[in-house]
Amino acid sequence: QVQLVESGGGLVQAGGSLRLSCAASGRTFSRHVMGWFRQAPGKDREFVIAISWSGASTYYAESVKGRFTISRDNAKNTVYLQMNSLKPEDTAVYYCAADPEVRTFLQATYWGQGTQVTVSS
């Protein structure tokens, strides 16, 4: 069982940066793929970014490549999402997610409660 708690959301101007954190509980955190999804008002939830359990592999949605970076600290049971060059279209609720396998990550097993990111133009 893995429980996830996000933090770090807020309001930022276009072009600015934010860093989200996701703290996980559970002894098997280091064996889970971790990542982020987002959902904007009136839109479906979409995949943003993910990182393998070792941190050796990362996966990005085309829309965030070159702007967002994911990292993890298994000793602290925490995954981070660094968001740079933010755009108004990045405005959404961001959800941390975890799953034991990459191939099933899009239907992740564990979810956080979400944190709001708002980018003003």
Side-chain angles (χ1 to χ4, degrees), residues 4 11 22 32 40 48 51 54 59 66 69 74-76 83-84 88:
L4 307 172
L11 174 64
C22 174
H32 282 71
V48 177
I51 187 167
S54 68
Y59 313 88
T69 303
N74 286 341
K76 295 182 178 179
M83 303 185 292
N84 299 327

Side-chain angles (χ1 to χ4, degrees), residues 29-83:
F29 168 81
S30 63
R31 306 303 293 185
H32 282 71
V33 178
M34 300 294 299
W36 298 84
F37 292 75
R38 66 186 181 187
Q39 187 167 20
K43 294 188 177 182
D44 292 335
R45 184 177 63 200
E46 64 174 357
F47 167 77
V48 177
I49 199 167
I51 187 167
S52 63
W53 66 268
S54 68
S57 298
T58 53
Y59 313 88
Y60 297 82
E62 247 346 281
S63 59
V64 305
K65 275 186 178 180
R67 300 189 299 122
F68 290 13
T69 303
I70 189 169
S71 60
R72 66 190 295 163
D73 186 337
N74 286 341
K76 295 182 178 179
N77 280 9
T78 302
V79 63
Y80 304 98
L81 174 58
Q82 179 66 44
M83 303 185 292

